[in-house]
Amino acid sequence: MLEVTDDTSLPSQERKRLQVEHAPHVSTEAKLVKLADKICNLRDVLAAPPAHWAVERKRAYFHWAEQVIAGVRGVNPVLEAAFDQLLARADELR
């Protein structure tokens, strides 16, 4: 689905900025994919983060994911609640 595919020719920070900017304007299906993807990613960062990620990077990822999901709110309350529960666990990051 092209709506949720990042342009890998762009620098990482630009891709992240564009995800936040574009999230509110994609289709309902794309919003669901973004929400499910961020849920999986937060679970991974909590349970088995990349070994080279410092605590600050993990927290930055949580903050950025929160910004992306703010743009898709209203699409699925159950998934949003699951995301919020994971987001609330940010203080567990080590």
Side-chain angles (χ1 to χ4, degrees), residues 10-17:
L10 297 173
S12 176
Q13 286 306 110
E14 179 66 5
R15 291 194 311 264
K16 287 183 171 193
R17 184 189 69 76

Side-chain angles (χ1 to χ4, degrees), residues 2-7 10 14-28 30-31 34 64 67-72:
L2 289 176
E3 281 185 286
V4 294
T5 302
D6 288 343
D7 180 349
L10 297 173
E14 179 66 5
R15 291 194 311 264
K16 287 183 171 193
R17 184 189 69 76
L18 288 172
Q19 274 200 45
V20 172
E21 183 178 306
H22 292 148
H25 309 291
V26 297
S27 68
T28 299
K31 288 178 180 181
K34 283 196 172 292
W64 169 73
Q67 291 176 309
V68 173
I69 297 309
V72 305

Side-chain angles (χ1 to χ4, degrees), residues 21-54:
E21 183 178 306
H22 292 148
H25 309 291
V26 297
S27 68
T28 299
E29 292 81 7
K31 288 178 180 181
L32 288 168
V33 169
K34 283 196 172 292
L35 186 52
D37 179 59
K38 296 301 180 261
I39 288 169
C40 289
N41 293 350
L42 291 188
R43 284 179 180 158
D44 287 346
V45 171
L46 282 165
H52 63 280
W53 278 26

Side-chain angles (χ1 to χ4, degrees), residues 38 42 61-71 73 83 87:
K38 296 301 180 261
L42 291 188
Y61 186 86
F62 268 58
H63 177 70
W64 169 73
E66 182 178 25
Q67 291 176 309
V68 173
I69 297 309
R73 295 268 177 192
F83 176 84
L87 193 64

